[in-house]
Amino acid sequence: MNNIKKSRVHPMVIMDTVITGFRLFGIFMVLALKEQNWKYYLLVLAGFLLLIVIGIFDYFVKSYEVRDGALIYTKGIINKEVKNINLENIQSIDMSSNIMYQAFNLLSVDINLVGGKIRIKPLKKEIALNLIDILRDLKRDEDTSVVHENTEEEIQREILRLSVKDLAFYGLLRVRFFAALGLILALNDKIRDVFKIIFDNEAYFDELLQKNAESVAGNITALFIIIGIFMILVVLASIIFTIIKYYDFILTTKDHNLLCKYGLLTKKSLVIDIDRIQSVKLIYPLRYRFFGLAKLSVETLTNNVSEDLSEQKSTIDVLPLVKKDFAQDFVKNNLGIDLEHYDNLESEKIQRKARMAMYRWSLFNCSPLPIIVFAILYFANVDLKLEYKILGSVALYLVLVSYSILVKNYMLKYNELSYDRHYFKNTFMRQLTIITELIKVKKVGTINSRTNYFMKKRDLSHLSINSIGVNSDIKLKYYDKGYKEKLERDFIISEVGYE
């Protein structure tokens, strides 16, 4: 059996500790140095020496070993912690290397567990690769529950490669225009000061603003010029950041694993075991649908798998920007899920009586804002007749109710659930983003329902289906209570009978 004796990480961990400490307390150190007082200089020096001492202790305390088919990881200076990790608990093993690590040929190894992560860093590249190979070999020997038809070693096959042009377009789609606009308007005065610095002529810019301020049209023109220029800067910053972050993005498959590599300044490598994937999401944001594009994400039992390729803690965007047909073919050819089969299954949609219940709640949910507006107008002694205040509040209420009902009608067009003994197929819309989620059934743990007096009169309830895994919950709102009984017969009762 392959073992690794008790080993320490690379001494570069001392520098990591210093850098981490400077990130936390760097602002205080800079402020102390600006005081030009030798006492503060001594305090900063003592801080650096303390960080170095902590790093030295961390180097001698932190260790790892592989023994008897288990990984043993030790860390902690004051509170020593020893983790004995069952290899079956390992979901995936990833690598990363920032600029400093690349200069010294070092790697950081992230071992993703169910609900947690162990980060062993830094390690010499050859040592890190050897550790990963041993863990994967032992894990493969331990995991006897999955048998593949093809016993020969699979050839690494490229699935997707994103060019700089693709990444630039991806960076454009990632821009949150409304959020950027709100930030620009909120910091309008500060932004004008920045313009003065950029033009390097405060008198000229003040004269320009003063001239435009003489008329409403001129002031609006100046505002739009400022917004336009800074919006362009926001777009350029998003594009440059995306290119640097995901440079040379490539997704391949080998040995029933998905391998994802990317990064310019910090190179990262993710390995995702296809058998460990809990759910698959086909995501169609509104801005993607204009170009016939889609995004495909997978979820595992591990939180914080990738800080870069995630919009949520456990979601990994393995196909961040592809054509819709490409994403659907990937699901069928690489993940073994036939979408056409699930499209043809009998599905359940929200019934008409449920729609009426949702509309009724819109009448209540839209009422607080008009009431608040009316109260402000009434108590602030605004120079308006009472009937105008009432009519204005009623008009606002009608607009909000109409908008709420229209949005609900639009969203319900895409709301449906179907399933077989392998997957749930749940399609829904969230904030104008259409999501088709395929969740492994495995063994349903609980089927919960929640109702109230008005829903009970219509035999409606909110359902929650929990399968194995923290990321496998399906929430169904305003479904018929009879559908809950059907789900219980198919999953709960049948499983008990089978056992």
Side-chain angles (χ1 to χ4, degrees):
M1 180 177 293
N2 291 325
N3 289 333
I4 296 178
K5 65 180 182 179
K6 192 171 184 179
S7 305
R8 294 192 180 98
V9 297
H10 193 272
M12 185 62 72
V13 70
I14 301 173
M15 183 60 68
D16 280 345
T17 304
V18 173
I19 293 174
T20 302
F22 187 78
R23 286 176 180 174
L24 294 175
F25 307 107
I27 184 65
F28 300 106
M29 293 182 178
V30 171
L31 292 176
L33 291 174
K34 290 181 66 176
E35 292 296 327
Q36 296 183 353
N37 188 313
W38 65 271
K39 293 182 180 179
Y40 289 104
Y41 293 163
L42 288 178
L43 185 62
V44 172
L45 179 61
F48 271 109
L49 292 177
L50 178 61
L51 290 174
I52 293 173
V53 170
I54 293 174
I56 293 173
F57 273 103
D58 195 29
Y59 168 71
F60 284 104
V61 170
K62 188 179 294 184
S63 66
Y64 65 94
E65 62 179 309
V66 177
R67 187 181 66 213
D68 300 328
L71 172 64
I72 303 171
Y73 179 66
T74 304
K75 68 174 185 175
I77 299 175
I78 299 175
N79 296 320
K80 189 174 181 179
E81 182 180 358
V82 180
K83 292 186 178 182
N84 195 313
I85 301 157
N86 187 342
L87 297 182
E88 292 183 356
N89 195 27
I90 296 177
Q91 299 295 303
S92 61
I93 304 174
D94 309 323
M95 296 175 291
S96 62
S97 179
N98 55 36
I99 295 178
M100 185 174 67
Y101 282 17
Q102 293 175 40
F104 292 93
N105 201 29
L106 301 174
L107 285 177
S108 172
V109 178
D110 291 344
I111 302 173
N112 300 304
L113 311 172
V114 176
K117 174 188 287 188
I118 290 177
R119 177 165 290 170
I120 305 177
K121 70 170 190 175
L123 297 174
K124 273 290 187 181
K125 185 174 181 179
E126 56 270 17
I127 296 176
L129 295 176
N130 181 58
L131 171 63
I132 292 172
D133 288 340
I134 290 175
L135 290 177
R136 286 177 181 166
D137 290 341
L138 292 174
K139 183 171 173 288
R140 190 180 297 114
D141 293 337
E142 291 286 338
D143 190 2
T144 58
S145 60
V146 180
V147 179
H148 304 297
E149 294 181 2
N150 185 10
T151 57
E152 297 180 1
E153 185 178 357
E154 297 182 18
I155 301 174
Q156 186 167 340
R157 180 168 55 88
E158 181 177 316
I159 298 175
L160 174 68
R161 184 187 294 271
L162 295 180
S163 64
V164 174
K165 181 180 177 181
D166 296 329
L167 292 175
F169 187 56
Y170 182 41
L172 178 63
L173 293 179
R174 284 164 58 89
V175 176
R176 300 294 189 264
F177 287 100
F178 289 108
L181 179 60
L183 186 63
I184 291 170
L185 293 176
L187 301 176
N188 183 34
D189 293 337
K190 299 295 183 183
I191 289 175
R192 290 175 184 237
D193 293 337
V194 173
F195 265 89
K196 294 177 184 179
I197 298 173
I198 292 175
F199 283 101
D200 197 24
N201 191 334
E202 295 188 14
Y204 168 77
F205 198 75
D206 284 335
E207 182 181 351
L208 177 65
L209 293 178
Q210 186 177 2
K211 181 180 179 181
N212 284 323
E214 293 176 358
S215 65
V216 175
N219 198 19
I220 292 176
T221 300
L223 180 63
F224 271 100
I225 290 174
I226 292 174
I227 290 175
I229 293 176
F230 266 80
M231 194 65 76
I232 292 173
L233 294 177
V234 168
V235 170
L236 290 176
S238 176
I239 291 174
I240 294 172
F241 176 81
T242 302
I243 292 175
I244 293 175
K245 179 68 71 173
Y246 305 109
Y247 181 77
D248 198 23
F249 181 97
I250 180 172
L251 179 69
T252 60
T253 178
K254 182 182 180 182
D255 297 335
H256 214 60
N257 291 323
L258 296 176
L259 288 77
C260 185
K261 296 182 179 180
Y262 61 94
L264 180 61
L265 300 180
T266 300
K267 298 183 181 295
K268 296 195 175 183
S269 176
L270 277 67
V271 181
I272 306 167
D273 189 338
I274 293 177
D275 293 321
R276 302 275 178 167
I277 294 175
Q278 299 300 307
S279 68
V280 179
K281 287 184 180 180
L282 287 163
I283 305 172
Y284 309 96
L286 180 61
R287 58 191 182 278
Y288 277 46
R289 299 203 295 273
F290 288 137
F291 304 98
L293 300 172
K295 176 168 61 177
L296 187 138
S297 303
V298 299
E299 288 195 3
T300 67
L301 285 173
T302 304
N303 289 331
N304 300 316
V305 175
S306 171
E307 295 84 356
D308 303 326
L309 290 173
S310 303
E311 291 188 359
Q312 299 176 1
K313 288 185 177 181
S314 57
T315 303
I316 309 170
D317 297 335
V318 293
L319 299 180
L321 184 74
V322 292
K323 289 290 186 181
K324 179 180 177 182
D325 294 339
F326 185 95
Q328 294 175 346
D329 290 341
F330 173 83
V331 172
K332 182 177 181 179
N333 299 328
N334 295 280
L335 304 181
I337 304 174
D338 189 353
L339 288 175
E340 293 182 2
H341 165 70
Y342 289 96
D343 289 339
N344 295 327
L345 288 177
E346 180 182 356
S347 61
E348 182 74 10
K349 291 191 174 184
I350 291 180
Q351 299 177 358
R352 182 175 179 80
K353 61 180 180 179
R355 292 172 180 260
M356 297 305 297
M358 295 176 69
Y359 300 158
R360 183 182 60 231
W361 276 111
S362 293
L363 300 177
F364 292 101
N365 293 336
C366 296
S367 59
L369 183 59
I371 293 174
I372 293 172
V373 171
F374 175 77
I376 293 174
L377 294 176
Y378 183 79
F379 291 105
N381 294 321
V382 178
D383 189 17
L384 282 175
K385 292 183 178 180
L386 180 61
E387 51 266 31
Y388 290 158
K389 296 177 183 178
I390 295 175
L391 288 175
S393 300
V394 171
L396 176 61
Y397 176 69
L398 293 177
V399 169
L400 292 176
V401 169
S402 301
Y403 174 77
S404 176
I405 292 175
L406 287 173
V407 169
K408 282 183 171 62
N409 270 326
Y410 182 62
M411 293 174 66
L412 290 176
K413 289 171 56 178
Y414 302 96
N415 189 295
E416 63 177 339
L417 175 72
S418 59
Y419 60 86
D420 60 10
R421 302 302 296 174
H422 302 288
Y423 285 92
F424 288 107
K425 177 178 175 287
N426 185 29
T427 301
F428 58 95
M429 177 177 282
R430 180 188 298 152
Q431 298 177 351
L432 299 182
T433 297
I434 302 172
I435 301 174
T436 296
E437 187 172 20
L438 294 144
I439 300 177
K440 283 185 178 179
V441 170
K442 288 192 174 179
K443 181 177 181 182
V444 173
T446 58
I447 298 177
N448 304 316
S449 65
R450 180 171 53 87
T451 186
N452 55 44
Y453 174 77
F454 298 103
M455 293 173 61
K456 192 174 182 180
K457 290 182 65 175
R458 295 178 178 269
D459 287 330
L460 298 173
S461 62
H462 297 325
L463 305 181
S464 176
I465 307 171
N466 175 261
S467 184
I468 293 177
V470 295
N471 308 311
S472 302
D473 288 352
I474 301 176
K475 297 186 183 300
L476 308 172
K477 291 189 173 182
Y478 299 100
Y479 270 70
D480 192 283
K481 290 177 66 177
Y483 193 64
K484 175 179 180 290
E485 297 173 358
K486 181 178 184 300
L487 291 170
E488 289 176 340
R489 288 195 302 269
D490 289 343
F491 295 103
I492 304 296
I493 299 175
S494 63
E495 291 289 343
V496 174
Y498 177 77
E499 291 176 355

